[in-house]
PDB file of all heavy atoms in Angstrom:
ATOM      1  N   GLU A   7       0.515 -10.552  -3.229  1.00 85.00           N
ATOM      2  CA  GLU A   7       1.702 -10.484  -4.085  1.00 85.00           C
ATOM      3  C   GLU A   7       1.858  -9.156  -4.829  1.00 85.00           C
ATOM      4  O   GLU A   7       2.363  -9.125  -5.952  1.00 85.00           O
ATOM      5  CB  GLU A   7       1.695 -11.645  -5.114  1.00 85.00           C
ATOM      6  CG  GLU A   7       1.642 -13.020  -4.482  1.00 85.00           C
ATOM      7  CD  GLU A   7       2.834 -13.313  -3.567  1.00 85.00           C
ATOM      8  OE1 GLU A   7       3.962 -12.970  -3.952  1.00 85.00           O
ATOM      9  OE2 GLU A   7       2.611 -13.870  -2.481  1.00 85.00           O
ATOM     10  N   MET A   8       1.401  -8.042  -4.243  1.00 94.00           N
ATOM     11  CA  MET A   8       1.680  -6.750  -4.871  1.00 94.00           C
ATOM     12  C   MET A   8       3.162  -6.432  -4.683  1.00 94.00           C
ATOM     13  O   MET A   8       3.644  -6.345  -3.543  1.00 94.00           O
ATOM     14  CB  MET A   8       0.836  -5.643  -4.250  1.00 94.00           C
ATOM     15  CG  MET A   8      -0.562  -5.548  -4.805  1.00 94.00           C
ATOM     16  SD  MET A   8      -1.401  -4.031  -4.272  1.00 94.00           S
ATOM     17  CE  MET A   8      -0.603  -2.813  -5.315  1.00 94.00           C
ATOM     18  N   PRO A   9       3.918  -6.260  -5.777  1.00 96.00           N
ATOM     19  CA  PRO A   9       5.372  -6.104  -5.635  1.00 96.00           C
ATOM     20  C   PRO A   9       5.787  -4.883  -4.832  1.00 96.00           C
ATOM     21  O   PRO A   9       6.781  -4.929  -4.107  1.00 96.00           O
ATOM     22  CB  PRO A   9       5.874  -6.023  -7.082  1.00 96.00           C
ATOM     23  CG  PRO A   9       4.670  -5.701  -7.913  1.00 96.00           C
ATOM     24  CD  PRO A   9       3.506  -6.285  -7.193  1.00 96.00           C
ATOM     25  N   ASN A  10       5.038  -3.789  -4.925  1.00 97.00           N
ATOM     26  CA  ASN A  10       5.403  -2.601  -4.141  1.00 97.00           C
ATOM     27  C   ASN A  10       5.222  -2.834  -2.638  1.00 97.00           C
ATOM     28  O   ASN A  10       6.053  -2.411  -1.831  1.00 97.00           O
ATOM     29  CB  ASN A  10       4.609  -1.374  -4.601  1.00 97.00           C
ATOM     30  CG  ASN A  10       3.108  -1.566  -4.581  1.00 97.00           C
ATOM     31  OD1 ASN A  10       2.605  -2.618  -4.981  1.00 97.00           O
ATOM     32  ND2 ASN A  10       2.370  -0.571  -4.133  1.00 97.00           N
ATOM     33  N   ILE A  11       4.172  -3.558  -2.262  1.00 97.00           N
ATOM     34  CA  ILE A  11       3.947  -3.840  -0.847  1.00 97.00           C
ATOM     35  C   ILE A  11       4.980  -4.842  -0.325  1.00 97.00           C
ATOM     36  O   ILE A  11       5.510  -4.686   0.783  1.00 97.00           O
ATOM     37  CB  ILE A  11       2.514  -4.371  -0.617  1.00 97.00           C
ATOM     38  CG1 ILE A  11       1.479  -3.312  -1.059  1.00 97.00           C
ATOM     39  CG2 ILE A  11       2.315  -4.752   0.842  1.00 97.00           C
ATOM     40  CD1 ILE A  11       1.572  -1.989  -0.323  1.00 97.00           C
ATOM     41  N   LYS A  12       5.308  -5.845  -1.115  1.00 97.00           N
ATOM     42  CA  LYS A  12       6.344  -6.808  -0.708  1.00 97.00           C
ATOM     43  C   LYS A  12       7.680  -6.098  -0.495  1.00 97.00           C
ATOM     44  O   LYS A  12       8.406  -6.382   0.465  1.00 97.00           O
ATOM     45  CB  LYS A  12       6.487  -7.900  -1.763  1.00 97.00           C
ATOM     46  CG  LYS A  12       5.317  -8.866  -1.827  1.00 97.00           C
ATOM     47  CD  LYS A  12       5.530  -9.933  -2.875  1.00 97.00           C
ATOM     48  CE  LYS A  12       6.656 -10.869  -2.487  1.00 97.00           C
ATOM     49  NZ  LYS A  12       6.832 -11.957  -3.475  1.00 97.00           N
ATOM     50  N   PHE A  13       7.999  -5.150  -1.384  1.00 97.00           N
ATOM     51  CA  PHE A  13       9.243  -4.374  -1.245  1.00 97.00           C
ATOM     52  C   PHE A  13       9.254  -3.602   0.064  1.00 97.00           C
ATOM     53  O   PHE A  13      10.248  -3.601   0.794  1.00 97.00           O
ATOM     54  CB  PHE A  13       9.377  -3.425  -2.437  1.00 97.00           C
ATOM     55  CG  PHE A  13      10.564  -2.501  -2.354  1.00 97.00           C
ATOM     56  CD1 PHE A  13      11.784  -2.864  -2.892  1.00 97.00           C
ATOM     57  CD2 PHE A  13      10.458  -1.255  -1.744  1.00 97.00           C
ATOM     58  CE1 PHE A  13      12.888  -2.018  -2.819  1.00 97.00           C
ATOM     59  CE2 PHE A  13      11.543  -0.398  -1.663  1.00 97.00           C
ATOM     60  CZ  PHE A  13      12.764  -0.779  -2.210  1.00 97.00           C
ATOM     61  N   LEU A  14       8.130  -2.956   0.387  1.00 98.00           N
ATOM     62  CA  LEU A  14       8.054  -2.145   1.605  1.00 98.00           C
ATOM     63  C   LEU A  14       8.090  -3.005   2.863  1.00 98.00           C
ATOM     64  O   LEU A  14       8.667  -2.607   3.880  1.00 98.00           O
ATOM     65  CB  LEU A  14       6.796  -1.281   1.572  1.00 98.00           C
ATOM     66  CG  LEU A  14       6.822  -0.161   0.523  1.00 98.00           C
ATOM     67  CD1 LEU A  14       5.451   0.485   0.385  1.00 98.00           C
ATOM     68  CD2 LEU A  14       7.866   0.881   0.858  1.00 98.00           C
ATOM     69  N   GLN A  15       7.488  -4.180   2.806  1.00 97.00           N
ATOM     70  CA  GLN A  15       7.562  -5.083   3.948  1.00 97.00           C
ATOM     71  C   GLN A  15       9.010  -5.444   4.261  1.00 97.00           C
ATOM     72  O   GLN A  15       9.433  -5.462   5.420  1.00 97.00           O
ATOM     73  CB  GLN A  15       6.764  -6.357   3.660  1.00 97.00           C
ATOM     74  CG  GLN A  15       5.261  -6.167   3.687  1.00 97.00           C
ATOM     75  CD  GLN A  15       4.517  -7.425   3.280  1.00 97.00           C
ATOM     76  OE1 GLN A  15       5.053  -8.287   2.577  1.00 97.00           O
ATOM     77  NE2 GLN A  15       3.278  -7.541   3.715  1.00 97.00           N
ATOM     78  N   GLU A  16       9.781  -5.724   3.198  1.00 97.00           N
ATOM     79  CA  GLU A  16      11.173  -6.122   3.394  1.00 97.00           C
ATOM     80  C   GLU A  16      12.046  -4.937   3.816  1.00 97.00           C
ATOM     81  O   GLU A  16      12.975  -5.091   4.601  1.00 97.00           O
ATOM     82  CB  GLU A  16      11.710  -6.748   2.100  1.00 97.00           C
ATOM     83  CG  GLU A  16      11.038  -8.068   1.752  1.00 97.00           C
ATOM     84  CD  GLU A  16      11.400  -8.575   0.369  1.00 97.00           C
ATOM     85  OE1 GLU A  16      12.266  -7.940  -0.284  1.00 97.00           O
ATOM     86  OE2 GLU A  16      10.840  -9.599  -0.060  1.00 97.00           O
ATOM     87  N   LYS A  17      11.733  -3.752   3.309  1.00 97.00           N
ATOM     88  CA  LYS A  17      12.572  -2.576   3.565  1.00 97.00           C
ATOM     89  C   LYS A  17      12.238  -1.901   4.897  1.00 97.00           C
ATOM     90  O   LYS A  17      13.133  -1.403   5.591  1.00 97.00           O
ATOM     91  CB  LYS A  17      12.402  -1.573   2.424  1.00 97.00           C
ATOM     92  CG  LYS A  17      13.331  -0.374   2.497  1.00 97.00           C
ATOM     93  CD  LYS A  17      14.240  -0.312   1.316  1.00 97.00           C
ATOM     94  CE  LYS A  17      15.186   0.852   1.381  1.00 97.00           C
ATOM     95  NZ  LYS A  17      16.083   0.942   0.230  1.00 97.00           N
ATOM     96  N   LEU A  18      10.961  -1.859   5.247  1.00 98.00           N
ATOM     97  CA  LEU A  18      10.535  -1.074   6.407  1.00 98.00           C
ATOM     98  C   LEU A  18      10.027  -1.910   7.573  1.00 98.00           C
ATOM     99  O   LEU A  18       9.936  -1.411   8.698  1.00 98.00           O
ATOM    100  CB  LEU A  18       9.428  -0.094   5.988  1.00 98.00           C
ATOM    101  CG  LEU A  18       9.768   0.903   4.882  1.00 98.00           C
ATOM    102  CD1 LEU A  18       8.548   1.760   4.558  1.00 98.00           C
ATOM    103  CD2 LEU A  18      10.952   1.777   5.260  1.00 98.00           C
ATOM    104  N   GLY A  19       9.682  -3.154   7.323  1.00 98.00           N
ATOM    105  CA  GLY A  19       9.039  -3.964   8.342  1.00 98.00           C
ATOM    106  C   GLY A  19       7.560  -4.149   8.028  1.00 98.00           C
ATOM    107  O   GLY A  19       7.022  -3.516   7.116  1.00 98.00           O
ATOM    108  N   LYS A  20       6.898  -4.999   8.778  1.00 97.00           N
ATOM    109  CA  LYS A  20       5.529  -5.378   8.453  1.00 97.00           C
ATOM    110  C   LYS A  20       4.499  -4.614   9.289  1.00 97.00           C
ATOM    111  O   LYS A  20       4.629  -4.500  10.510  1.00 97.00           O
ATOM    112  CB  LYS A  20       5.347  -6.879   8.648  1.00 97.00           C
ATOM    113  CG  LYS A  20       6.151  -7.696   7.631  1.00 97.00           C
ATOM    114  CD  LYS A  20       5.967  -9.184   7.815  1.00 97.00           C
ATOM    115  CE  LYS A  20       6.763  -9.940   6.753  1.00 97.00           C
ATOM    116  NZ  LYS A  20       6.634 -11.409   6.899  1.00 97.00           N
ATOM    117  N   VAL A  21       3.496  -4.086   8.596  1.00 98.00           N
ATOM    118  CA  VAL A  21       2.318  -3.498   9.229  1.00 98.00           C
ATOM    119  C   VAL A  21       1.087  -3.998   8.478  1.00 98.00           C
ATOM    120  O   VAL A  21       1.187  -4.463   7.341  1.00 98.00           O
ATOM    121  CB  VAL A  21       2.359  -1.949   9.203  1.00 98.00           C
ATOM    122  CG1 VAL A  21       3.479  -1.423  10.064  1.00 98.00           C
ATOM    123  CG2 VAL A  21       2.479  -1.424   7.777  1.00 98.00           C
ATOM    124  N   LYS A  22      -0.057  -3.910   9.115  1.00 98.00           N
ATOM    125  CA  LYS A  22      -1.304  -4.318   8.470  1.00 98.00           C
ATOM    126  C   LYS A  22      -2.050  -3.084   7.992  1.00 98.00           C
ATOM    127  O   LYS A  22      -2.244  -2.134   8.751  1.00 98.00           O
ATOM    128  CB  LYS A  22      -2.177  -5.118   9.435  1.00 98.00           C
ATOM    129  CG  LYS A  22      -3.460  -5.638   8.778  1.00 98.00           C
ATOM    130  CD  LYS A  22      -4.236  -6.566   9.685  1.00 98.00           C
ATOM    131  CE  LYS A  22      -5.464  -7.127   8.965  1.00 98.00           C
ATOM    132  NZ  LYS A  22      -6.226  -8.039   9.843  1.00 98.00           N
ATOM    133  N   ILE A  23      -2.457  -3.107   6.738  1.00 98.00           N
ATOM    134  CA  ILE A  23      -3.172  -1.988   6.125  1.00 98.00           C
ATOM    135  C   ILE A  23      -4.549  -2.459   5.670  1.00 98.00           C
ATOM    136  O   ILE A  23      -4.665  -3.434   4.915  1.00 98.00           O
ATOM    137  CB  ILE A  23      -2.395  -1.437   4.905  1.00 98.00           C
ATOM    138  CG1 ILE A  23      -0.995  -0.955   5.282  1.00 98.00           C
ATOM    139  CG2 ILE A  23      -3.207  -0.327   4.216  1.00 98.00           C
ATOM    140  CD1 ILE A  23      -0.946   0.313   6.075  1.00 98.00           C
ATOM    141  N   GLU A  24      -5.582  -1.791   6.129  1.00 98.00           N
ATOM    142  CA  GLU A  24      -6.937  -1.997   5.613  1.00 98.00           C
ATOM    143  C   GLU A  24      -7.363  -0.685   4.968  1.00 98.00           C
ATOM    144  O   GLU A  24      -7.642   0.293   5.661  1.00 98.00           O
ATOM    145  CB  GLU A  24      -7.892  -2.406   6.730  1.00 98.00           C
ATOM    146  CG  GLU A  24      -7.542  -3.753   7.349  1.00 98.00           C
ATOM    147  CD  GLU A  24      -8.551  -4.205   8.390  1.00 98.00           C
ATOM    148  OE1 GLU A  24      -9.747  -3.854   8.241  1.00 98.00           O
ATOM    149  OE2 GLU A  24      -8.148  -4.892   9.341  1.00 98.00           O
ATOM    150  N   ALA A  25      -7.356  -0.671   3.634  1.00 98.00           N
ATOM    151  CA  ALA A  25      -7.580   0.559   2.878  1.00 98.00           C
ATOM    152  C   ALA A  25      -8.949   0.538   2.197  1.00 98.00           C
ATOM    153  O   ALA A  25      -9.467  -0.528   1.848  1.00 98.00           O
ATOM    154  CB  ALA A  25      -6.475   0.753   1.846  1.00 98.00           C
ATOM    155  N   TYR A  26      -9.482   1.749   2.012  1.00 98.00           N
ATOM    156  CA  TYR A  26     -10.799   1.902   1.390  1.00 98.00           C
ATOM    157  C   TYR A  26     -10.721   2.979   0.315  1.00 98.00           C
ATOM    158  O   TYR A  26     -10.171   4.055   0.534  1.00 98.00           O
ATOM    159  CB  TYR A  26     -11.844   2.269   2.442  1.00 98.00           C
ATOM    160  CG  TYR A  26     -11.914   1.248   3.554  1.00 98.00           C
ATOM    161  CD1 TYR A  26     -11.104   1.384   4.679  1.00 98.00           C
ATOM    162  CD2 TYR A  26     -12.747   0.140   3.462  1.00 98.00           C
ATOM    163  CE1 TYR A  26     -11.135   0.435   5.685  1.00 98.00           C
ATOM    164  CE2 TYR A  26     -12.781  -0.811   4.474  1.00 98.00           C
ATOM    165  CZ  TYR A  26     -11.970  -0.667   5.579  1.00 98.00           C
ATOM    166  OH  TYR A  26     -11.990  -1.607   6.566  1.00 98.00           O
ATOM    167  N   SER A  27     -11.279   2.661  -0.848  1.00 98.00           N
ATOM    168  CA  SER A  27     -11.237   3.601  -1.961  1.00 98.00           C
ATOM    169  C   SER A  27     -12.537   3.537  -2.740  1.00 98.00           C
ATOM    170  O   SER A  27     -13.116   2.452  -2.920  1.00 98.00           O
ATOM    171  CB  SER A  27     -10.067   3.265  -2.901  1.00 98.00           C
ATOM    172  OG  SER A  27     -10.132   4.049  -4.081  1.00 98.00           O
ATOM    173  N   ARG A  28     -12.971   4.688  -3.240  1.00 98.00           N
ATOM    174  CA  ARG A  28     -14.179   4.733  -4.076  1.00 98.00           C
ATOM    175  C   ARG A  28     -13.856   4.564  -5.553  1.00 98.00           C
ATOM    176  O   ARG A  28     -14.762   4.560  -6.385  1.00 98.00           O
ATOM    177  CB  ARG A  28     -14.920   6.053  -3.832  1.00 98.00           C
ATOM    178  CG  ARG A  28     -15.626   6.077  -2.469  1.00 98.00           C
ATOM    179  CD  ARG A  28     -16.197   7.438  -2.144  1.00 98.00           C
ATOM    180  NE  ARG A  28     -17.087   7.934  -3.188  1.00 98.00           N
ATOM    181  CZ  ARG A  28     -17.580   9.161  -3.233  1.00 98.00           C
ATOM    182  NH1 ARG A  28     -17.246  10.031  -2.275  1.00 98.00           N
ATOM    183  NH2 ARG A  28     -18.379   9.538  -4.197  1.00 98.00           N
ATOM    184  N   VAL A  29     -12.579   4.440  -5.886  1.00 98.00           N
ATOM    185  CA  VAL A  29     -12.194   4.171  -7.274  1.00 98.00           C
ATOM    186  C   VAL A  29     -11.365   2.884  -7.307  1.00 98.00           C
ATOM    187  O   VAL A  29     -10.751   2.507  -6.309  1.00 98.00           O
ATOM    188  CB  VAL A  29     -11.392   5.342  -7.888  1.00 98.00           C
ATOM    189  CG1 VAL A  29     -12.228   6.609  -7.932  1.00 98.00           C
ATOM    190  CG2 VAL A  29     -10.089   5.575  -7.145  1.00 98.00           C
ATOM    191  N   PRO A  30     -11.324   2.194  -8.459  1.00 97.00           N
ATOM    192  CA  PRO A  30     -10.664   0.889  -8.517  1.00 97.00           C
ATOM    193  C   PRO A  30      -9.155   0.976  -8.747  1.00 97.00           C
ATOM    194  O   PRO A  30      -8.631   1.980  -9.232  1.00 97.00           O
ATOM    195  CB  PRO A  30     -11.354   0.216  -9.717  1.00 97.00           C
ATOM    196  CG  PRO A  30     -11.747   1.360 -10.606  1.00 97.00           C
ATOM    197  CD  PRO A  30     -12.098   2.492  -9.686  1.00 97.00           C
ATOM    198  N   LEU A  31      -8.480  -0.103  -8.400  1.00 97.00           N
ATOM    199  CA  LEU A  31      -7.037  -0.240  -8.574  1.00 97.00           C
ATOM    200  C   LEU A  31      -6.714  -0.687  -9.992  1.00 97.00           C
ATOM    201  O   LEU A  31      -7.379  -1.559 -10.546  1.00 97.00           O
ATOM    202  CB  LEU A  31      -6.517  -1.274  -7.570  1.00 97.00           C
ATOM    203  CG  LEU A  31      -5.032  -1.638  -7.598  1.00 97.00           C
ATOM    204  CD1 LEU A  31      -4.174  -0.464  -7.171  1.00 97.00           C
ATOM    205  CD2 LEU A  31      -4.778  -2.846  -6.691  1.00 97.00           C
ATOM    206  N   GLY A  32      -5.682  -0.060 -10.589  1.00 94.00           N
ATOM    207  CA  GLY A  32      -5.198  -0.514 -11.881  1.00 94.00           C
ATOM    208  C   GLY A  32      -5.755   0.217 -13.086  1.00 94.00           C
ATOM    209  O   GLY A  32      -5.548  -0.204 -14.223  1.00 94.00           O
ATOM    210  N   TYR A  33      -6.447   1.338 -12.868  1.00 95.00           N
ATOM    211  CA  TYR A  33      -7.083   2.058 -13.967  1.00 95.00           C
ATOM    212  C   TYR A  33      -6.436   3.405 -14.265  1.00 95.00           C
ATOM    213  O   TYR A  33      -6.732   4.001 -15.294  1.00 95.00           O
ATOM    214  CB  TYR A  33      -8.574   2.263 -13.667  1.00 95.00           C
ATOM    215  CG  TYR A  33      -9.390   1.000 -13.786  1.00 95.00           C
ATOM    216  CD1 TYR A  33      -9.346   0.038 -12.792  1.00 95.00           C
ATOM    217  CD2 TYR A  33     -10.181   0.767 -14.903  1.00 95.00           C
ATOM    218  CE1 TYR A  33     -10.079  -1.136 -12.894  1.00 95.00           C
ATOM    219  CE2 TYR A  33     -10.934  -0.401 -15.012  1.00 95.00           C
ATOM    220  CZ  TYR A  33     -10.871  -1.345 -14.007  1.00 95.00           C
ATOM    221  OH  TYR A  33     -11.595  -2.508 -14.123  1.00 95.00           O
ATOM    222  N   GLY A  34      -5.593   3.909 -13.362  1.00 96.00           N
ATOM    223  CA  GLY A  34      -4.936   5.185 -13.625  1.00 96.00           C
ATOM    224  C   GLY A  34      -5.167   6.248 -12.566  1.00 96.00           C
ATOM    225  O   GLY A  34      -4.908   7.426 -12.811  1.00 96.00           O
ATOM    226  N   TYR A  35      -5.640   5.846 -11.393  1.00 98.00           N
ATOM    227  CA  TYR A  35      -5.907   6.793 -10.309  1.00 98.00           C
ATOM    228  C   TYR A  35      -4.740   6.949  -9.330  1.00 98.00           C
ATOM    229  O   TYR A  35      -4.845   7.669  -8.342  1.00 98.00           O
ATOM    230  CB  TYR A  35      -7.137   6.360  -9.518  1.00 98.00           C
ATOM    231  CG  TYR A  35      -8.454   6.503 -10.245  1.00 98.00           C
ATOM    232  CD1 TYR A  35      -9.132   5.389 -10.735  1.00 98.00           C
ATOM    233  CD2 TYR A  35      -9.043   7.755 -10.419  1.00 98.00           C
ATOM    234  CE1 TYR A  35     -10.360   5.510 -11.380  1.00 98.00           C
ATOM    235  CE2 TYR A  35     -10.266   7.889 -11.054  1.00 98.00           C
ATOM    236  CZ  TYR A  35     -10.926   6.766 -11.536  1.00 98.00           C
ATOM    237  OH  TYR A  35     -12.138   6.890 -12.171  1.00 98.00           O
ATOM    238  N   GLY A  36      -3.641   6.239  -9.563  1.00 97.00           N
ATOM    239  CA  GLY A  36      -2.512   6.318  -8.636  1.00 97.00           C
ATOM    240  C   GLY A  36      -2.752   5.587  -7.336  1.00 97.00           C
ATOM    241  O   GLY A  36      -2.127   5.905  -6.321  1.00 97.00           O
ATOM    242  N   LEU A  37      -3.633   4.564  -7.333  1.00 97.00           N
ATOM    243  CA  LEU A  37      -3.940   3.864  -6.090  1.00 97.00           C
ATOM    244  C   LEU A  37      -2.761   3.039  -5.583  1.00 97.00           C
ATOM    245  O   LEU A  37      -2.569   2.890  -4.372  1.00 97.00           O
ATOM    246  CB  LEU A  37      -5.152   2.948  -6.270  1.00 97.00           C
ATOM    247  CG  LEU A  37      -6.525   3.541  -5.982  1.00 97.00           C
ATOM    248  CD1 LEU A  37      -7.566   2.433  -5.970  1.00 97.00           C
ATOM    249  CD2 LEU A  37      -6.552   4.277  -4.659  1.00 97.00           C
ATOM    250  N   SER A  38      -1.974   2.495  -6.487  1.00 97.00           N
ATOM    251  CA  SER A  38      -0.786   1.763  -6.050  1.00 97.00           C
ATOM    252  C   SER A  38       0.142   2.693  -5.277  1.00 97.00           C
ATOM    253  O   SER A  38       0.644   2.347  -4.196  1.00 97.00           O
ATOM    254  CB  SER A  38      -0.050   1.166  -7.258  1.00 97.00           C
ATOM    255  OG  SER A  38       1.163   0.575  -6.863  1.00 97.00           O
ATOM    256  N   GLY A  39       0.358   3.893  -5.805  1.00 98.00           N
ATOM    257  CA  GLY A  39       1.172   4.876  -5.105  1.00 98.00           C
ATOM    258  C   GLY A  39       0.558   5.272  -3.772  1.00 98.00           C
ATOM    259  O   GLY A  39       1.259   5.431  -2.773  1.00 98.00           O
ATOM    260  N   ALA A  40      -0.762   5.424  -3.744  1.00 98.00           N
ATOM    261  CA  ALA A  40      -1.437   5.790  -2.500  1.00 98.00           C
ATOM    262  C   ALA A  40      -1.254   4.706  -1.439  1.00 98.00           C
ATOM    263  O   ALA A  40      -1.040   4.998  -0.257  1.00 98.00           O
ATOM    264  CB  ALA A  40      -2.927   6.032  -2.760  1.00 98.00           C
ATOM    265  N   LEU A  41      -1.319   3.443  -1.848  1.00 98.00           N
ATOM    266  CA  LEU A  41      -1.091   2.345  -0.916  1.00 98.00           C
ATOM    267  C   LEU A  41       0.349   2.358  -0.403  1.00 98.00           C
ATOM    268  O   LEU A  41       0.600   2.117   0.782  1.00 98.00           O
ATOM    269  CB  LEU A  41      -1.406   1.005  -1.585  1.00 98.00           C
ATOM    270  CG  LEU A  41      -2.890   0.712  -1.800  1.00 98.00           C
ATOM    271  CD1 LEU A  41      -3.073  -0.438  -2.793  1.00 98.00           C
ATOM    272  CD2 LEU A  41      -3.575   0.367  -0.476  1.00 98.00           C
ATOM    273  N   SER A  42       1.294   2.644  -1.308  1.00 98.00           N
ATOM    274  CA  SER A  42       2.697   2.720  -0.891  1.00 98.00           C
ATOM    275  C   SER A  42       2.918   3.857   0.102  1.00 98.00           C
ATOM    276  O   SER A  42       3.642   3.706   1.090  1.00 98.00           O
ATOM    277  CB  SER A  42       3.608   2.898  -2.116  1.00 98.00           C
ATOM    278  OG  SER A  42       3.629   1.732  -2.908  1.00 98.00           O
ATOM    279  N   VAL A  43       2.309   5.012  -0.156  1.00 98.00           N
ATOM    280  CA  VAL A  43       2.444   6.149   0.759  1.00 98.00           C
ATOM    281  C   VAL A  43       1.810   5.817   2.106  1.00 98.00           C
ATOM    282  O   VAL A  43       2.385   6.101   3.173  1.00 98.00           O
ATOM    283  CB  VAL A  43       1.814   7.420   0.151  1.00 98.00           C
ATOM    284  CG1 VAL A  43       1.751   8.539   1.193  1.00 98.00           C
ATOM    285  CG2 VAL A  43       2.615   7.877  -1.069  1.00 98.00           C
ATOM    286  N   ALA A  44       0.619   5.209   2.081  1.00 98.00           N
ATOM    287  CA  ALA A  44      -0.043   4.837   3.335  1.00 98.00           C
ATOM    288  C   ALA A  44       0.820   3.857   4.125  1.00 98.00           C
ATOM    289  O   ALA A  44       0.947   3.970   5.351  1.00 98.00           O
ATOM    290  CB  ALA A  44      -1.411   4.224   3.034  1.00 98.00           C
ATOM    291  N   TYR A  45       1.419   2.908   3.434  1.00 98.00           N
ATOM    292  CA  TYR A  45       2.285   1.928   4.109  1.00 98.00           C
ATOM    293  C   TYR A  45       3.482   2.638   4.736  1.00 98.00           C
ATOM    294  O   TYR A  45       3.858   2.357   5.888  1.00 98.00           O
ATOM    295  CB  TYR A  45       2.750   0.871   3.118  1.00 98.00           C
ATOM    296  CG  TYR A  45       3.308  -0.372   3.778  1.00 98.00           C
ATOM    297  CD1 TYR A  45       2.568  -1.543   3.816  1.00 98.00           C
ATOM    298  CD2 TYR A  45       4.564  -0.375   4.391  1.00 98.00           C
ATOM    299  CE1 TYR A  45       3.056  -2.691   4.438  1.00 98.00           C
ATOM    300  CE2 TYR A  45       5.055  -1.503   5.015  1.00 98.00           C
ATOM    301  CZ  TYR A  45       4.307  -2.662   5.026  1.00 98.00           C
ATOM    302  OH  TYR A  45       4.790  -3.790   5.649  1.00 98.00           O
ATOM    303  N   ALA A  46       4.098   3.557   3.996  1.00 98.00           N
ATOM    304  CA  ALA A  46       5.273   4.270   4.507  1.00 98.00           C
ATOM    305  C   ALA A  46       4.929   5.084   5.751  1.00 98.00           C
ATOM    306  O   ALA A  46       5.674   5.072   6.742  1.00 98.00           O
ATOM    307  CB  ALA A  46       5.840   5.177   3.411  1.00 98.00           C
ATOM    308  N   ILE A  47       3.812   5.810   5.706  1.00 98.00           N
ATOM    309  CA  ILE A  47       3.405   6.604   6.870  1.00 98.00           C
ATOM    310  C   ILE A  47       3.088   5.685   8.050  1.00 98.00           C
ATOM    311  O   ILE A  47       3.441   5.978   9.197  1.00 98.00           O
ATOM    312  CB  ILE A  47       2.208   7.499   6.514  1.00 98.00           C
ATOM    313  CG1 ILE A  47       2.635   8.563   5.484  1.00 98.00           C
ATOM    314  CG2 ILE A  47       1.641   8.171   7.760  1.00 98.00           C
ATOM    315  CD1 ILE A  47       1.498   9.418   4.960  1.00 98.00           C
ATOM    316  N   ALA A  48       2.436   4.553   7.774  1.00 98.00           N
ATOM    317  CA  ALA A  48       2.126   3.596   8.837  1.00 98.00           C
ATOM    318  C   ALA A  48       3.410   3.061   9.476  1.00 98.00           C
ATOM    319  O   ALA A  48       3.500   2.958  10.707  1.00 98.00           O
ATOM    320  CB  ALA A  48       1.301   2.443   8.278  1.00 98.00           C
ATOM    321  N   ALA A  49       4.414   2.739   8.652  1.00 98.00           N
ATOM    322  CA  ALA A  49       5.683   2.234   9.186  1.00 98.00           C
ATOM    323  C   ALA A  49       6.374   3.291  10.042  1.00 98.00           C
ATOM    324  O   ALA A  49       6.987   2.982  11.065  1.00 98.00           O
ATOM    325  CB  ALA A  49       6.589   1.794   8.043  1.00 98.00           C
ATOM    326  N   SER A  50       6.253   4.544   9.632  1.00 98.00           N
ATOM    327  CA  SER A  50       6.837   5.626  10.414  1.00 98.00           C
ATOM    328  C   SER A  50       6.123   5.771  11.758  1.00 98.00           C
ATOM    329  O   SER A  50       6.753   5.882  12.809  1.00 98.00           O
ATOM    330  CB  SER A  50       6.769   6.936   9.626  1.00 98.00           C
ATOM    331  OG  SER A  50       7.243   8.014  10.393  1.00 98.00           O
ATOM    332  N   GLU A  51       4.789   5.757  11.721  1.00 98.00           N
ATOM    333  CA  GLU A  51       4.007   5.971  12.938  1.00 98.00           C
ATOM    334  C   GLU A  51       4.063   4.782  13.897  1.00 98.00           C
ATOM    335  O   GLU A  51       4.128   4.962  15.115  1.00 98.00           O
ATOM    336  CB  GLU A  51       2.540   6.251  12.566  1.00 98.00           C
ATOM    337  CG  GLU A  51       2.316   7.558  11.822  1.00 98.00           C
ATOM    338  CD  GLU A  51       2.459   8.764  12.724  1.00 98.00           C
ATOM    339  OE1 GLU A  51       2.085   8.671  13.907  1.00 98.00           O
ATOM    340  OE2 GLU A  51       2.950   9.805  12.240  1.00 98.00           O
TER     341      GLU A  51
END
């Protein structure tokens, strides 16, 4: 239920993302944005 990912699924179509990070989500590292960018590039490719 991440709202940014749900938005991208509806706007771009569905892809599966398995992401790995050495820093945690929700602390200020821009990981939500990174996931959105990864999803967008995946939808393009």
Side-chain angles (χ1 to χ4, degrees):
E7 302 300 318
M8 278 191 76
N10 55 318
I11 299 300
K12 289 181 68 177
F13 176 91
L14 291 170
Q15 287 175 336
E16 293 171 5
K17 186 118 181 180
L18 302 178
K20 293 180 179 179
V21 294
K22 183 173 183 180
I23 301 288
E24 296 184 31
Y26 303 90
S27 172
R28 287 172 55 189
V29 298
L31 177 67
Y33 287 76
Y35 290 106
L37 270 190
S38 174
L41 287 165
S42 291
V43 171
Y45 196 105
I47 294 174
S50 176
E51 293 287 325

